[in-house]
Amino acid sequence: MLHETSIAAVTIFATFVLGVIGLSFFLGRKGQSASGYYAAHGQIHWFVNGIAFAGDYLSAASFLGICGMIAFSGYDGFLYSIGFLAGWVVALFVIAEPIKALGKFTFADALDSRFNSRGIKLSVAISTLVVSVFYLIPQMVGAGSLIKPLLGLPHEAGVILVGVTVTLIVVTAGMVSTTWVQFIKGSLLVFFCGVLTVLILGRGLAVNAGREGSENLTPQIRTVRPDGTVLVDGQPQSRDHDLRPVGTIIRLPERFAGQESTGPLGPLAYLATLEDSTIVTWATKKHADSEGVHTTYTPVERPGTELLKPGGFFKGLASGNLPDRLDFVSLMLALFCGTASLPHILIRYYTVKDAAAARKSTVVGIAVIGVFYVLTLYLGLGAMTSGALDPTDTNMAAPLLAKTFNETLFAIISAIAFTTVLGTVSGLIMAGSGAVAHDLVENVCGVRMTDHEKIRCGKLAAVGLGMVAMVLGILFRNFNVSFLVGWAFNIAASANLPALVMLLFWPRTTRQGIVAAVTVGMLASLTWILLSADTFEKVYGLSRDLALTPFSQPALITIPLGFLTLVVVSLLTPAPASLRR
Amino acid sequence: MSESQQHHQSPGSPPASGLGLALFWVYVLLYIGFMGLVLVRPDLLSLRPFFGVNLAIVYGMGLIAAAFVLAVAYMVLRSGR
């Protein structure tokens, strides 16, 4: 769909972005040592760090991706919310305090704390880079999605804008500015999602989204011709002739018979009423011929009961197909195990002073993130019934929902979504630059650097990562961001969790075992993803039937494989010196 | 002695607390229970036990609330030790 640019939106957006950059330059004076650049001197207050955890974690996948998935597929998007939050339980109860005590700047520091092994530093640094890059892709895709309706610029412009802004943030002040950007973003995101939820409940549910006339139930066809021009129902796409927005209620429950709207509803009544309503969603079907690629959006009437139970996105839950069910279990396992294995989350434990502060900041993070995930359900369902969805873009549901209230709220929500991307991308680039400068250059290659040189090296690495992120954000533009983040969780959980857990709980763990587990977990999950049906279809453009793996999400196989590798290799190599004494 | 000092004195890996692990397993059971319902008895998730809201949503929100409750309990109990 084509979107009009509003001056208010551009102004609010520019204010947010310039404010964030200004803050970074202001805070840049505080990050003059390596400890300041990489770990904010370990002096961040636990409460600020807790909100920053939320700012770091609640990425484009959480905000744009989950809202979009709920709006397009119903309850299944909420399964991502549940899985994402559950991962924090692992982080708090198992990982937080030990990782704080073991590390200094990076995740590799913690895994290598007992062994001082170049092999561990190398393998963990590479896994950190791979996970960070896979996590960067959806953030950049989200930025590209946002920029189209907000500023009327192409996807590529959004990706480049984020890449340049974030590189500036990280290069100016490292972890200090990154923390405050994440703190501000986390606070604003949860507050304004709360505001939006109150507005959704206040508006209640309405037939045809409260508009005059009945919802048009005729299909729409979008054609992309070989020369790149776009047709809508056979005519060239323009602002006057565009796809109609979709997603409305066509029938309210019996108790509202004769009414077009329910009026304000409480949080529970909203869900119960929606379940008793009939909603018009749409089915998407693609086919290609000599005239181009045609996508047909066909309206489908569905009862609320069907949309508010599992099975809308994860088709195997409804069909009982075994590989599809295993795919779902594997994803939920990856989400549960992945959070505590994400390098950009783990390095935040080094920004507080001690284990108690690490624990308290995690609890604050869980509270804020938990509230946000509850809100995502209302945002997604509100978008599903708002009559404002762009059927071509799952990632724009939340901003377009805000637009149904007013342009200002649309601008604020879009700007916050953009800062959401900024906050998460800065954390990822920090983790990646630490892996390059501290782990690879200094510890693996043995390059001795002064404090000033360490910072310069980290900044150069940040610039390089920013450029890689921009290229990938353009290449993966057509993916749902939650889906892409699922890959990052799979790789993180497979590569990092077995080594981390066994290091903490099995004294017989050897350095060779850790290197092998990280390497095998990372390569196995990466290979699995590259050979999966989802990748064949969505990346290579080939048939799903050609895929070489039985299901797409690897964690169910590759996490146990990581544990098994570590145990076998550790048992085959000499026990650590501490056990031989 | 602060907790951080205690941790740094250990030559090996500082273990997670027993309390933390106990609460972790409580949550794992809740999570497995939810996954079991989704996979084995999805029909039960359509039941509407709480003000007309179905079990899928109630259990999902319950998992989010449980994470917070267990986290607060952990923080309070650890602080008291």
Side-chain angles (χ1 to χ4, degrees), chain A residues 453-466:
Chain A
E453 286 167 338
K454 281 183 197 170
I455 296 174
R456 198 169 55 188
C457 184
K459 289 180 177 181
L460 281 173
V463 172
L465 277 167

Side-chain angles (χ1 to χ4, degrees), chain A residues 62-75 77-78 81 193 196-197 200 203 205 246-248 270-271 274 279 281-282 307-308 372-389 394 396-399 401-402:
Chain A
S62 291
F63 183 43
L64 303 177
I66 290 178
C67 290
M69 200 175 279
I70 294 174
F72 276 58
S73 306
Y75 182 85
F78 191 53
S81 296
C193 284
L196 202 47
T197 302
I200 291 167
R203 180 163 70 184
L205 297 164
V246 296
T248 58
Y270 185 90
L271 298 171
L274 190 61
I279 297 137
T281 62
W282 60 101
L307 288 164
L308 289 180
F372 174 80
Y373 281 138
V374 170
L375 299 179
T376 58
L377 184 62
Y378 290 97
L379 299 185
L381 295 176
M384 176 195 277
T385 55
S386 65
L389 289 176
T394 59
M396 277 306 293
L401 165 70

Side-chain angles (χ1 to χ4, degrees), chain A residues 75 79 82 85 92-94 97-98 101-102 114 272 275-276 308-309 325 329 332 354 356 359-360 367 370 377 503, chain B residues 3-4 7-8 13-14 16 20 24 31 34-35 39 46 48 52 54 56 60-61 63-64 68 71 74-75 78:
Chain A
Y75 182 85
L79 288 169
I82 294 165
L85 188 79
L92 173 64
F93 295 144
V94 183
E97 295 165 58
L102 289 174
R114 252 205 247 162
E275 196 158 356
D276 291 330
L308 289 180
K309 69 177 186 184
R325 290 162 79 87
V329 173
M332 294 307 280
D354 57 22
R359 185 170 63 234
K360 284 191 267 189
L377 184 62
L503 180 76
Chain B
E3 281 179 74
S4 58
H7 283 310
H8 284 305
S13 306
F24 167 76
Y31 194 71
F34 177 70
M35 294 293 291
L39 290 165
S46 298
R48 300 172 70 169
N54 72 24
M61 294 232 182
L63 278 174
I64 292 174
F68 175 66
Y74 181 61
M75 187 172 73
R78 286 281 279 165

Side-chain angles (χ1 to χ4, degrees), chain A residues 59-70 76-77 80-81 84 138-139 141-142 313-314 331 335 373 394-395 479-490 553:
Chain A
S59 63
S62 291
F63 183 43
L64 303 177
I66 290 178
C67 290
M69 200 175 279
I70 294 174
D76 283 7
Y80 272 93
S81 296
F84 280 140
Q139 314 308 321
V141 171
F313 181 79
F314 301 106
L331 173 68
L335 300 185
Y373 281 138
T394 59
N395 299 320
F479 279 65
N480 176 280
V481 293
S482 280
F483 176 79
L484 286 170
V485 156
W487 283 354
F489 272 71
N490 273 285
Q553 307 283 344

Side-chain angles (χ1 to χ4, degrees), chain A residues 387-409:
Chain A
L389 289 176
D390 177 347
T392 65
D393 192 346
T394 59
N395 299 320
M396 277 306 293
L400 291 176
L401 165 70
K403 202 170 191 172
T404 63
F405 291 100
N406 59 60
E407 282 288 337
T408 307
L409 193 58

